[in-house]
Every structure is written in C-alpha cells, then in structure tokens.
Amino acid sequence: MESPNTFLKHHSFIMLLFLLLLQLSSQVYASRTKASMNVIDSCWRRDPTWIHNRMKLATCSVGFAGKMTGNSGQKIQEYVVTTPADDPINPQPGSLRYGAALGHRWITFQRDMVINLRMPLLVSSFTTIDGRGVNVQIAHGSGILLRDVSNVVVHGLRIHHCVTSNPGPVLGP
C-alpha cells in the first residue's frame, strides 16, 4: 500500500501535468483563433475593452475604404436600435430606419433582433451599423441600399433571405 506522502506526490504531479496541458491547449487554440481572423476583426477583437471603444472599428478598415476617420469622433452621434419595427414612411425613434436616415451616426443594437425591412433601407453617409455583441439579422424582407453615399460601415449583421420589394415611398437621407 502507498504511503500518504507518495499518494499526494503522485496525484499532485498528475494535477500539475493536467494544468500544463490545459494551458498549452488554450494557447494553441488562441493562436489558431488569432491566425484565422480577418484583418478587420483582428484589429478590434484583441482589445478586451472594445465594447467601450466601438469607434475604433472605423480605423480598422482596409483597401479602397482606407481608414474611415470620418465615422468616429465628436461629429458622430451614438444611436441605439431598441425595436425591430420598420415603417418605411414614418419610422419611429428606436428603429434602425430612423437612425440610418439621420446620418453621422454610430448605430448599435440594444439586444438580439430580427428586422424585417418592408422597403429597402437607405443609409446616409458617415453611418456605421455595428452589430457586434448581439445577434442582429436583416431577414425575410428588403435589404440595405447604399446609393450616392460615402463612409458607410456595416459590421456584424447577418443579412439573409432578402426579397425584391415593389416600388413605393421610403424615408431616405
């Protein structure tokens, strides 16, 4: 029979080995996760306080857009979508359509939601629609229309099953 000291040493060694393997596997997973991120996501996801500095996303853009510095700073107002409701002609405050038409807005979402757009959503210049941190879907209705605009960022939305709308009036920029 093992002595108590031998038993404790043996189990302590096994526990230490387990913890080292756990640490190593988490480091391997983290390095794989970082390596598989696109350039924009890797720019902001590595900051654990990103939710308090959402506008950093505007400086993460690459390619033709360059750094979208016009989409951050004092001239941009924050707007929170609180309802998935959509009225193309008379949008209510708290709706995505209301915020998108205003321009110079950083739009975030209060909670998960599925938004069924009744007509295309016209977005103003210098607008960011930021769906990070929640599950926001534009689905089973019209889509987003970017026409004659500049400095628009759409990030973290799932847009699917959009359908063609019949012509009709819609509030736009």
Side-chain angles (χ1 to χ4, degrees), residues 14 38-39 55 81 83-85 92 96 115 125 130 133 135 141 147:
I14 290 174
N38 65 48
V39 175
M55 291 191 187
V81 176
T83 177
Q92 63 178 300
L96 176 58
I115 302 173
S125 291
D130 182 357
N135 178 11
R147 183 170 182 222

Side-chain angles (χ1 to χ4, degrees), residues 12 22 25 80 84 93 96 104 117 122 124-125 166:
S12 295
L22 185 63
S25 67
V80 179
L96 176 58
H104 289 88
L117 296 171
L122 305 176
S124 296
S125 291
N166 292 324

Side-chain angles (χ1 to χ4, degrees), residues 26-111:
S26 66
Q27 289 173 351
V28 168
Y29 174 77
S31 68
R32 284 183 183 164
T33 303
K34 288 177 185 172
S36 65
M37 280 190 232
N38 65 48
V39 175
I40 295 172
D41 282 349
S42 67
C43 175
W44 65 269
R45 280 188 195 258
R46 291 186 179 149
D47 179 2
T49 61
W50 68 265
I51 201 158
H52 303 294
N53 186 17
R54 285 181 171 270
M55 291 191 187
K56 181 180 179 185
L57 178 65
T59 64
C60 294
S61 56
V62 294
F64 181 75
K67 303 300 180 206
M68 313 244 330
T69 55
N71 282 46
S72 62
Q74 294 180 349
K75 53 190 179 254
I76 301 295
Q77 294 181 12
E78 293 182 20
Y79 177 85
V80 179
V81 176
T82 57
T83 177
D86 182 51
D87 183 337
I89 301 169
N90 247 341
Q92 63 178 300
S95 70
L96 176 58
R97 188 173 302 276
Y98 188 89
L102 296 172
H104 289 88
R105 294 292 184 268
W106 193 282
I107 300 172
T108 59
F109 298 83
Q110 182 181 53
R111 59 184 170 83

Side-chain angles (χ1 to χ4, degrees), residues 11-27:
H11 285 327
S12 295
F13 176 75
I14 290 174
M15 183 59 91
L16 180 62
L17 187 60
F18 173 75
L19 291 174
L20 287 172
L21 287 172
L22 185 63
Q23 168 114 16
L24 181 61
S25 67
S26 66
Q27 289 173 351

